[in-house]
Amino acid sequence: ARTAAIPLLTQFEAEVMAVLWKIGEGSVREVLNLLPAERQCAYTSVQTILKILEEKKFVSSVKVGKAHTFVPVLQKENYQRK
């Protein structure tokens, strides 16, 4: 059976996914705090990227209080095999 192609990640999306793969799950704030220091970005930028990643089915989110916790759906090994 043929599997659907996994979409490629942009550089920023890949950095966000790397953080989530490392920590297992996290909020927008947690991901923002763990991005590389040279990546100067706003909270809303990370929030937007996480929403895009959710649309691409790379992550899922669970609402915890007022915040969302994002969890990788696609495992790093499966993406790297592409």
Side-chain angles (χ1 to χ4, degrees), residues 16-70:
V16 169
M17 285 304 299
V19 170
L20 282 176
W21 283 325
K22 184 177 177 182
I23 64 175
E25 64 179 45
S27 66
V28 175
R29 178 76 50 210
E30 290 167 326
V31 172
L32 176 62
N33 290 340
L34 292 170
L35 284 172
E38 62 274 8
R39 170 65 78 182
Q40 297 289 318
C41 61
Y43 179 94
T44 52
S45 299
V46 175
Q47 189 174 37
T48 299
I49 292 296
L50 284 165
K51 292 248 184 270
I52 291 167
L53 288 169
E54 192 168 19
E55 288 168 12
K56 288 184 175 183
K57 308 282 191 248
F58 275 86
V59 303
S60 65
S61 69
V62 180
K63 192 163 181 163
V64 181
K66 291 184 178 181
H68 283 84
T69 296
F70 293 87

